[in-house]
Amino acid sequence: MTTRRHFLGSVSAASAAFAVTGKHLLEGSPAFAQDAAAPLAGHFHPKGKAPSKFTLDILQKAKATLPFGDTRDLDEQKKGFIAEMPDLQIKADAGHIAWDMKRFQFLDEQEDFDSIHPSLLRQSRLNNNYGLYEVMPGIYQVRGADLSDITFVRGKTGWIVFDTLVSAEPVRAAWKLFQEHRGEGLPVTAVIYSHTHADHWGGIRGLVSEEDVRSGKVQVIAPIDFMSFTISENVYAGNAMNRRLFFQYGLLLPASPHGYVGQGLGQAVSAGSVGLIAPTRYVSQPIEEFEVDGVRMIFQNTPNTEAPREMNTYIPDMKALWMAENVIASLHNIYTLRGAPVRDPLNWSKYIGEALFRFGLEAEVMFASHHWPRWGNARIQEVLRAQRDLYANMNNQVLHYANQGVTINEIHNVYEVPKSLQEMWFCRGYHGSPQHNSRGVIQRYLGFWDCNPATLIPLSPGDSAPLYVEMMGGSDRILARGQELHNEGKYFLAQEIVNKLVQAEPANQPARDLLADIFEQIGYQQENPGLRNSFLAGAYELRTGIPEGETANSSSPDVIRAMSTELFLNFLAIRMDSRKAEGLRFTMNLITPDNGEKFVVELQNATLTNIQGFLADKPDLTLTINRSDLEQTMMGAKTLEDQIKDGAAKVDGDVSILAKLAATMVDFDPRFEVLPGTKQVGPVAAVDPYEAVAGAAIAE
């Protein structure tokens, strides 16, 4: 741990010196002299290429112009260090590796990498912190054990925990480390979920038991409507979101200089046991104050900011401000590449402004669920004001351009973050990027259409691409011109024409290989991990296809049990293939006596609907089953047919309706084709088993 820290400091010094001298640290390296068209020895893929001279020039310019002389993040990142986590790898209960920091040690093994944006390299090295830290006496964090941090606040009789990582095994390891050094043998007395994303609640069963929560021994606190939004945000389009995570989070990319180098928020997502225990107390008012295990806390609800439901917390007697995930060491997502409702940046900005004037004018330490704290009131105000302005500017200036005719297909090439904010490391795009966020703002207000009628009802790419290929003179001419553009470093122009060829001729391997080469260079040039991962993942799948094998199940039993019956019925309607339901018609009453729910479920016009609180007078079928038994069917542990045979479910009417409904259901393929010609080529040995199981949807 000490060696890693000292090396990070030396890298910072070297970077600062570079910014002054302009010396190109990559010049003369073997990769610099290599032909970018030739496979690169040491690359994780046999067709992988070295960075081109054009990519190196872009990275050189970034290194020469970014504010590497500002080393405050380096000081704050290591401040309060108590003890390192003893094991770089944490085993899951199921036997595989739940958390693996060993993968990221390469980041500290040499000073520079010619295939990683220098700003992203800096952020990934900062995220290599891995251990226990003191925020202030009475507040401690374990960082680097998952995508997020876990925080311990001293209460009157025990420890109050803010956020519980993604999975149980890293939480247990963090708790053990904490107890060895600062825990005093005291128990957990309360858990606070700051918001609805899984990396802030999924590890709770590694810390407390449901029995302790139900008995009142441990209080679980969350913002109002937490359970509803926790489940709904990732269910309806969950399969598509998980597939898109392969790109945003680079799930198939090995951690390496030419592959995955971190996620900006943290290094990765753990792959252990995900659980959920329902809150026992909700914060329902905009500002609500009460004691938690004897500690006075002021909660600020901030709905529809970084998450649908989120809250900041101020501890006035300690002058400590918890900003959840509303303020981190990065620009966050307004539009998430994995897919989610577009967030409201103006609303987000206003809640940060409110936190500044309610709490930030006196706070002496500010900490959050990712990255490292900020100390001193001046520093806290600087960060809060800049982050407030970051989101407000993006909202206001994107709309400024939109009101002058700049469209969703142009805005990312027009909008720029103000230079004063670009010079602040914590406003740079390590999670959200200005490019995809600016498009998200227009999507939020104006939608996908750019107002050109030609794009209003477009052909599918596979239908339009053959005409483009024909008009451009065929595949040979496109490949030749595409290769010329690639060799000239005009990667986005090359992408335009070669992508058309791949869409028209999915089996054309030379075209797929050239497009992969183009994607790879664009990926190397990106500061934002999601953009880098997406381009490199696209290159990977074009070269290799979509590997077969097991995929992660993002819905743990706890999460399934937390689904409302209505949400489950809504999701059945999404799973139903309407084409298979043509001509079917029925009305069914569903009654769950143990919780007093009742529903009318109707299939008509090839559409499945439900309405809670009503029963039909003359249903075709009435199904009566306790909600606790229905959960077994929801989880796939027991079919309705078996429930009926066992007597757990009672039916009155035409029971054949259930079989007819089941016949319309589709099991979604978690590895559907995104790029043409990539489905499926068989197992790929290069895939790290850690990445293969780390695909649970994290709604960041």
Short mmCIF file of all heavy atoms in Angstrom, two decimals, residues 111-132:
data_model
loop_
_atom_site.label_atom_id
_atom_site.label_comp_id
_atom_site.label_asym_id
_atom_site.label_seq_id
_atom_site.Cartn_x
_atom_site.Cartn_y
_atom_site.Cartn_z
N GLU A 111 5.17 4.26 -15.16
CA GLU A 111 4.79 5.65 -15.02
C GLU A 111 3.74 6.09 -16.01
O GLU A 111 2.86 6.89 -15.68
CB GLU A 111 6.04 6.53 -15.16
CG GLU A 111 5.77 8.00 -14.86
CD GLU A 111 7.06 8.80 -14.80
OE1 GLU A 111 7.93 8.46 -13.98
OE2 GLU A 111 7.17 9.75 -15.57
N ASP A 112 3.80 5.57 -17.23
CA ASP A 112 2.92 6.07 -18.27
C ASP A 112 2.41 4.93 -19.13
O ASP A 112 3.05 3.87 -19.23
CB ASP A 112 3.67 7.07 -19.15
CG ASP A 112 2.84 8.31 -19.42
OD1 ASP A 112 1.61 8.19 -19.44
OD2 ASP A 112 3.42 9.40 -19.60
N PHE A 113 1.28 5.15 -19.77
CA PHE A 113 0.70 4.19 -20.71
C PHE A 113 0.25 4.96 -21.95
O PHE A 113 -0.45 5.96 -21.83
CB PHE A 113 -0.50 3.47 -20.09
CG PHE A 113 -0.16 2.60 -18.91
CD1 PHE A 113 -0.21 3.13 -17.63
CD2 PHE A 113 0.21 1.28 -19.08
CE1 PHE A 113 0.10 2.34 -16.53
CE2 PHE A 113 0.52 0.48 -17.99
CZ PHE A 113 0.47 1.00 -16.71
N ASP A 114 0.63 4.46 -23.11
CA ASP A 114 0.30 5.19 -24.33
C ASP A 114 -1.09 4.86 -24.87
O ASP A 114 -1.48 5.35 -25.92
CB ASP A 114 1.35 4.94 -25.42
CG ASP A 114 1.50 3.47 -25.79
OD1 ASP A 114 0.66 2.65 -25.34
OD2 ASP A 114 2.43 3.13 -26.53
N SER A 115 -1.83 4.03 -24.16
CA SER A 115 -3.16 3.63 -24.61
C SER A 115 -4.25 4.05 -23.63
O SER A 115 -5.40 3.62 -23.76
CB SER A 115 -3.22 2.11 -24.80
OG SER A 115 -2.81 1.45 -23.62
N ILE A 116 -3.90 4.89 -22.64
CA ILE A 116 -4.86 5.36 -21.65
C ILE A 116 -4.79 6.88 -21.59
O ILE A 116 -3.70 7.45 -21.47
CB ILE A 116 -4.56 4.78 -20.25
CG1 ILE A 116 -4.48 3.25 -20.28
CG2 ILE A 116 -5.63 5.23 -19.25
CD1 ILE A 116 -4.04 2.63 -18.97
N HIS A 117 -5.92 7.53 -21.67
CA HIS A 117 -5.96 8.99 -21.54
C HIS A 117 -5.32 9.38 -20.21
O HIS A 117 -5.63 8.79 -19.17
CB HIS A 117 -7.41 9.47 -21.60
CG HIS A 117 -7.56 10.94 -21.78
ND1 HIS A 117 -7.29 11.85 -20.77
CD2 HIS A 117 -7.94 11.68 -22.87
CE1 HIS A 117 -7.51 13.07 -21.22
NE2 HIS A 117 -7.91 13.01 -22.48
N PRO A 118 -4.41 10.36 -20.19
CA PRO A 118 -3.70 10.68 -18.95
C PRO A 118 -4.61 11.10 -17.81
O PRO A 118 -4.32 10.84 -16.64
CB PRO A 118 -2.75 11.81 -19.36
CG PRO A 118 -3.31 12.36 -20.64
CD PRO A 118 -3.96 11.20 -21.32
N SER A 119 -5.72 11.74 -18.13
CA SER A 119 -6.66 12.14 -17.08
C SER A 119 -7.37 10.91 -16.50
O SER A 119 -7.54 10.80 -15.28
CB SER A 119 -7.69 13.12 -17.65
OG SER A 119 -8.65 13.46 -16.69
N LEU A 120 -7.76 9.99 -17.35
CA LEU A 120 -8.39 8.76 -16.88
C LEU A 120 -7.39 7.93 -16.08
O LEU A 120 -7.75 7.32 -15.06
CB LEU A 120 -8.93 7.96 -18.07
CG LEU A 120 -9.50 6.57 -17.74
CD1 LEU A 120 -10.62 6.66 -16.72
CD2 LEU A 120 -9.99 5.90 -19.03
N LEU A 121 -6.14 7.89 -16.51
CA LEU A 121 -5.11 7.17 -15.78
C LEU A 121 -4.96 7.75 -14.37
O LEU A 121 -4.86 7.01 -13.38
CB LEU A 121 -3.78 7.24 -16.53
CG LEU A 121 -2.58 6.57 -15.86
CD1 LEU A 121 -2.82 5.08 -15.65
CD2 LEU A 121 -1.31 6.80 -16.69
N ARG A 122 -4.96 9.06 -14.28
CA ARG A 122 -4.87 9.72 -12.97
C ARG A 122 -6.03 9.31 -12.07
O ARG A 122 -5.85 8.98 -10.90
CB ARG A 122 -4.85 11.23 -13.19
CG ARG A 122 -4.89 12.07 -11.92
CD ARG A 122 -5.07 13.54 -12.29
NE ARG A 122 -5.17 14.38 -11.09
CZ ARG A 122 -6.28 14.57 -10.39
NH1 ARG A 122 -7.40 13.97 -10.77
NH2 ARG A 122 -6.28 15.34 -9.32
N GLN A 123 -7.25 9.33 -12.62
CA GLN A 123 -8.43 8.98 -11.84
C GLN A 123 -8.39 7.51 -11.40
O GLN A 123 -8.73 7.18 -10.26
CB GLN A 123 -9.69 9.26 -12.65
CG GLN A 123 -11.00 8.98 -11.91
CD GLN A 123 -11.37 10.08 -10.92
OE1 GLN A 123 -10.60 11.00 -10.69
NE2 GLN A 123 -12.56 9.98 -10.35
N SER A 124 -7.98 6.64 -12.30
CA SER A 124 -7.93 5.21 -11.96
C SER A 124 -6.89 4.93 -10.90
O SER A 124 -7.08 4.07 -10.03
CB SER A 124 -7.66 4.39 -13.22
OG SER A 124 -8.76 4.45 -14.10
N ARG A 125 -5.79 5.66 -10.93
CA ARG A 125 -4.78 5.50 -9.87
C ARG A 125 -5.31 6.01 -8.53
O ARG A 125 -5.07 5.41 -7.49
CB ARG A 125 -3.50 6.23 -10.26
CG ARG A 125 -2.66 5.44 -11.27
CD ARG A 125 -1.42 6.19 -11.67
NE ARG A 125 -0.52 5.31 -12.41
CZ ARG A 125 0.29 5.72 -13.37
NH1 ARG A 125 0.33 7.00 -13.70
NH2 ARG A 125 1.07 4.86 -13.99
N LEU A 126 -6.04 7.11 -8.57
CA LEU A 126 -6.64 7.60 -7.33
C LEU A 126 -7.63 6.58 -6.77
O LEU A 126 -7.74 6.42 -5.55
CB LEU A 126 -7.36 8.94 -7.59
CG LEU A 126 -6.46 10.17 -7.73
CD1 LEU A 126 -7.23 11.33 -8.34
CD2 LEU A 126 -5.88 10.57 -6.38
N ASN A 127 -8.34 5.88 -7.64
CA ASN A 127 -9.30 4.87 -7.20
C ASN A 127 -8.63 3.57 -6.76
O ASN A 127 -9.32 2.64 -6.33
CB ASN A 127 -10.32 4.59 -8.31
CG ASN A 127 -11.37 5.67 -8.42
OD1 ASN A 127 -11.68 6.35 -7.44
ND2 ASN A 127 -11.92 5.86 -9.60
N ASN A 128 -7.32 3.50 -6.85
CA ASN A 128 -6.60 2.33 -6.33
C ASN A 128 -6.40 2.41 -4.82
O ASN A 128 -5.66 1.60 -4.26
CB ASN A 128 -5.25 2.17 -7.02
CG ASN A 128 -5.25 1.03 -8.04
OD1 ASN A 128 -6.26 0.37 -8.23
ND2 ASN A 128 -4.12 0.81 -8.68
N ASN A 129 -7.01 3.39 -4.17
CA ASN A 129 -7.00 3.39 -2.70
C ASN A 129 -7.78 2.18 -2.22
O ASN A 129 -8.83 1.85 -2.75
CB ASN A 129 -7.57 4.70 -2.13
CG ASN A 129 -8.98 5.00 -2.62
OD1 ASN A 129 -9.53 4.32 -3.46
ND2 ASN A 129 -9.58 6.04 -2.07
N TYR A 130 -7.28 1.51 -1.18
CA TYR A 130 -7.87 0.22 -0.80
C TYR A 130 -7.60 -0.01 0.68
O TYR A 130 -6.59 -0.61 1.06
CB TYR A 130 -7.24 -0.89 -1.65
CG TYR A 130 -7.91 -2.24 -1.54
CD1 TYR A 130 -9.28 -2.39 -1.60
CD2 TYR A 130 -7.14 -3.39 -1.41
CE1 TYR A 130 -9.88 -3.63 -1.53
CE2 TYR A 130 -7.73 -4.64 -1.34
CZ TYR A 130 -9.09 -4.76 -1.40
OH TYR A 130 -9.69 -6.00 -1.33
N GLY A 131 -8.50 0.52 1.49
CA GLY A 131 -8.28 0.34 2.91
C GLY A 131 -9.20 1.20 3.75
O GLY A 131 -10.22 1.73 3.29
N LEU A 132 -8.81 1.36 5.02
CA LEU A 132 -9.60 2.09 6.01
C LEU A 132 -9.03 3.49 6.21
O LEU A 132 -7.81 3.66 6.34
CB LEU A 132 -9.58 1.32 7.34
CG LEU A 132 -10.23 2.00 8.55
CD1 LEU A 132 -11.73 2.19 8.34
CD2 LEU A 132 -9.96 1.18 9.81
#
